[in-house]
Amino acid sequence: MHRSKAFALRNIKELLRDPLSYIFCLCFPLVMLAVMTLVNSGIPEEAGMTVFRIDKLCGGICIFGQTFIMLFTALSVSKDRAGSFLVRMYASPMTSADFIAGYILPMLAVSAAQSVITCTASYIISLFTGVELSPLGLVISVIVLIPSSLFFIALGLIFGTLFNDKAAPGLCSIIISLGSFLGCVFYDADSAGGVMLDICKSLPFYYCTKTARSAAAFDLSAEGSLIPILIVSLSAAAATFISIITFRARMKAELS
Amino acid sequence: MKAIETKKLTKKFGEKTAVNGIDLSVEEGELFALLGVNGAGKTTTIRMLSCLSAPTSGEAFIKGHSVASGRTEIKRIIGISPQDTAVAEALTVRENLRFIASVYGFDREKTEKRINDMREMFGFDEVLDSRAKTLSGGWKRKLSIAMALIGEPEILFLDEPTLGLDVLARRELWRAIRTLKGTITIVLTTHYMEEAEELSDRIAVMLGGRIAAVGTLAELEEKTGKSGLENAFIAIAEGGRD
């Protein structure tokens, strides 16, 4: 326990001292929130397009922000692997469980902070735009965003373990684009329907966004919240399991 | 009990044999140098002894613990300073040392005591609160060795500790290593003759993955009939080619 705590503390310090983490993990989602709100102000109500309205946008931007946490997790792991730092740590009493917990826990904390900031900013925007946003719904959003956060962190851990520090960010960028598109962050697949909706529904990204939006709207129905939360939680559990197996296998291979 | 003992220790990477059946014996408190040109198998040997690489065949024992079955015990009693300076770049010198002390489970009081020990040993006063990425190569190398030492290891592995350092930084690091002599078993790899000559109690000359000769400087000189380690090394290397 003391080893994973020590490693987590080291990782969070490294993250907090990297200016890029503030730009990508905090500033960029807030800028997107502001820009999309401006875009929404130019869309006439008759168009019936609500994806950029703050009550819908909030959950989408929270998920968009989490995809950057995935990128930072991948960078953190792949950078450690690129140098001799992990060599030193492999020769210490650290176990694979210590490494995994040490990478995941600080990222979960940063992701939670990111959700709180995004939801708070969304609430402030809702006061100006006159769109109703329930504070209780936003509090629930922050809680239900934890499984999707774990899902993206686990994906980052997998990419950082399998690929080097040059390839991992590029691959994460693909997931960021795919995740925000197929997760319907900036696009309403439910209104579009058809094959696109089927594709979106076959991947966990859609349910990540749906969970966040439903919670923000205080929709606790089975279809709106419970089933999507279950799907996201199962996806997070599967991704975490795969990340543990992948990290252990890589560690074993590097020590053989 | 020997600090380190190997029996026919071998490491192959596919068809290539990096370390070929070496037999080594290192006494407690000894500073033992593995001397050889690049690709001689020094780092691979250290990696096997520090449980970072599994031997293909043969055995190695660290304080009686087998590297094959006693990894957990061995990791508690060794420290390693890899060839590249393996430090957390965004952390300060103090934070790097505190981090490693926490990994070894030291409480706050002991951690501060050990940080103070390292500060005194390596003269960290002026850089203790500087981030590692702002340090010069020499300071980073000292920090890397201090991080290997802070866990109170019984055996310290130093892989090319002065590689890439200027002459002044190298001399300064030698002074720090010399203060450790006799208090801890040290295995050092180097391709600098003067480094092995200056620091070591005994030297193993590695050539093509094999131990070509082992002994004190005087023993190697006597064996080859040459004066100085460089001449003795060349004689051993040329003898190995015949």
Side-chain angles (χ1 to χ4, degrees):
Chain A
M1 182 66 187
H2 62 86
R3 291 188 297 261
S4 45
K5 189 179 153 196
F7 194 57
L9 204 61
R10 172 259 169 182
N11 288 335
I12 205 154
K13 279 181 184 166
E14 292 260 0
L15 189 75
L16 294 177
R17 287 173 188 178
D18 182 356
L20 279 180
S21 57
Y22 293 95
I23 294 168
F24 283 105
C25 294
L26 295 177
C27 297
F28 196 48
L30 290 180
V31 168
M32 291 300 284
L33 206 57
V35 170
M36 293 305 163
T37 302
L38 280 176
V39 170
N40 187 62
S41 67
I43 299 173
E45 234 174 80
E46 305 81 67
M49 193 175 163
T50 58
V51 73
F52 297 141
R53 210 173 60 197
I54 195 65
D55 55 332
K56 295 278 179 71
L57 192 61
C58 175
I61 294 292
C62 284
I63 297 300
F64 184 61
Q66 288 183 347
T67 60
F68 283 93
I69 301 283
M70 166 187 70
L71 172 71
F72 268 82
T73 310
L75 263 176
S76 185
V77 179
S78 58
K79 267 194 202 165
D80 279 351
R81 284 184 44 243
S84 293
F85 185 75
L86 278 191
V87 172
R88 178 195 292 285
M89 300 319 296
Y90 285 162
S92 77
M94 294 272 295
T95 64
S96 55
D98 296 325
F99 284 111
I100 292 160
Y103 280 123
I104 290 178
L105 294 176
M107 291 300 175
L108 272 177
V110 171
S111 183
Q114 186 191 55
S115 300
V116 169
I117 291 168
T118 308
C119 287
T120 307
S122 298
Y123 184 70
I124 294 166
I125 290 172
S126 77
L127 296 177
F128 285 102
T129 55
V131 177
E132 202 180 331
L133 207 51
S134 152
L136 186 59
L138 291 175
V139 172
I140 295 170
S141 280
V142 172
I143 297 165
V144 300
L145 278 164
I146 294 170
S148 58
S149 173
L150 182 62
F151 170 69
F152 284 109
I153 292 167
L155 285 186
L157 193 53
I158 294 168
F159 284 118
T161 305
L162 291 179
F163 302 100
N164 64 28
D165 57 334
K166 305 272 189 302
L171 287 162
C172 284
S173 303
I174 295 172
I175 300 293
I176 291 172
S177 305
L178 275 178
S180 49
F181 186 68
L182 298 174
C184 307
V185 171
F186 304 117
Y187 151 80
D188 191 359
D190 286 309
S191 303
V195 182
M196 257 334 279
L197 182 61
D198 293 338
I199 294 171
C200 291
K201 281 187 165 180
S202 66
L203 293 165
F205 308 114
Y206 171 85
Y207 300 98
C208 291
T209 315
K210 192 171 176 73
T211 301
R213 280 184 180 149
S214 300
F218 209 58
D219 170 8
L220 303 178
S221 67
E223 201 189 332
S225 278
L226 300 180
I227 294 170
I229 288 174
L230 187 67
I231 293 170
V232 176
S233 300
L234 289 173
S235 303
T240 307
F241 179 72
I242 294 167
S243 72
I244 291 169
I245 300 287
T246 311
F247 190 88
R248 282 195 169 156
R250 172 64 77 162
M251 189 173 166
K252 201 175 169 189
E254 284 177 356
L255 294 179
S256 67
Chain B
M1 188 191 298
K2 303 276 185 199
I4 299 170
E5 199 162 21
T6 73
K7 292 173 184 169
K8 304 276 175 234
L9 191 66
T10 301
K11 181 72 185 182
K12 292 183 179 179
F13 296 104
E15 292 297 302
K16 190 181 181 304
T17 305
V19 175
N20 197 352
I22 64 170
D23 294 312
L24 275 180
S25 178
V26 179
E27 299 293 332
E28 279 190 37
E30 193 174 17
L31 199 158
F32 189 85
L34 290 171
L35 176 70
V37 293
N38 293 336
K42 309 182 297 289
T43 297
T44 308
T45 303
I46 269 199
R47 284 181 63 89
M48 285 191 283
L49 296 177
S50 52
C51 302
L52 290 170
S53 182
T56 308
S57 62
E59 289 178 300
F61 298 93
I62 308 293
K63 290 263 185 177
H65 303 291
S66 163
V67 294
S69 57
R71 286 184 175 206
T72 309
E73 292 80 8
I74 291 172
K75 285 178 176 187
R76 288 184 205 284
I77 57 168
I78 63 164
I80 182 168
S81 175
Q83 210 170 99
D84 302 322
T85 46
V87 301
E89 295 282 340
L91 267 54
T92 65
V93 169
R94 190 195 299 274
E95 286 168 341
N96 265 291
L97 295 171
R98 190 175 284 150
F99 161 55
I100 299 293
S102 312
V103 165
Y104 283 85
F106 293 175
D107 60 25
R108 188 172 291 184
E109 196 180 336
K110 188 165 184 189
T111 298
E112 292 311 313
K113 184 193 169 299
R114 289 299 290 157
I115 291 174
N116 204 37
D117 291 344
M118 295 301 112
R119 183 181 59 78
E120 283 175 7
M121 185 180 294
F122 293 97
F124 282 142
D125 296 79
E126 59 178 289
V127 294
L128 203 56
D129 294 308
S130 303
R131 290 195 190 170
K133 64 180 170 192
T134 65
L135 301 178
S136 66
W139 280 118
K140 271 192 189 174
R141 208 54 72 96
K142 282 184 190 173
L143 172 59
S144 182
I145 296 174
M147 286 167 76
L149 271 173
I150 199 164
E152 297 183 326
E154 293 176 41
I155 300 172
L156 176 66
F157 294 101
L158 301 176
D159 193 4
E160 302 274 6
T162 63
L163 187 71
L165 295 188
D166 63 53
V167 66
L168 293 176
R170 179 175 299 166
R171 293 284 164 156
E172 217 176 307
L173 201 55
W174 284 0
R175 271 196 289 276
I177 294 170
R178 246 188 245 112
T179 62
L180 295 169
K181 279 187 79 167
T183 63
I184 183 174
T185 307
I186 302 175
V187 178
L188 169 149
T189 73
T190 185
H191 61 261
Y192 296 122
M193 304 294 153
E194 72 273 29
E195 186 161 290
E197 198 168 340
E198 189 76 27
L199 298 174
S200 324
D201 295 316
R202 283 194 307 141
I203 301 159
V205 175
M206 286 194 80
L207 293 169
R210 292 177 187 275
I211 301 285
V214 190
T216 61
L217 174 61
E219 286 167 349
L220 294 177
E221 285 176 330
E222 190 185 330
K223 187 179 175 184
T224 56
K226 304 284 181 188
S227 169
L229 184 57
E230 188 165 336
N231 292 327
F233 177 81
I234 290 167
I236 293 164
E238 285 177 344
R241 281 199 198 117
D242 294 338

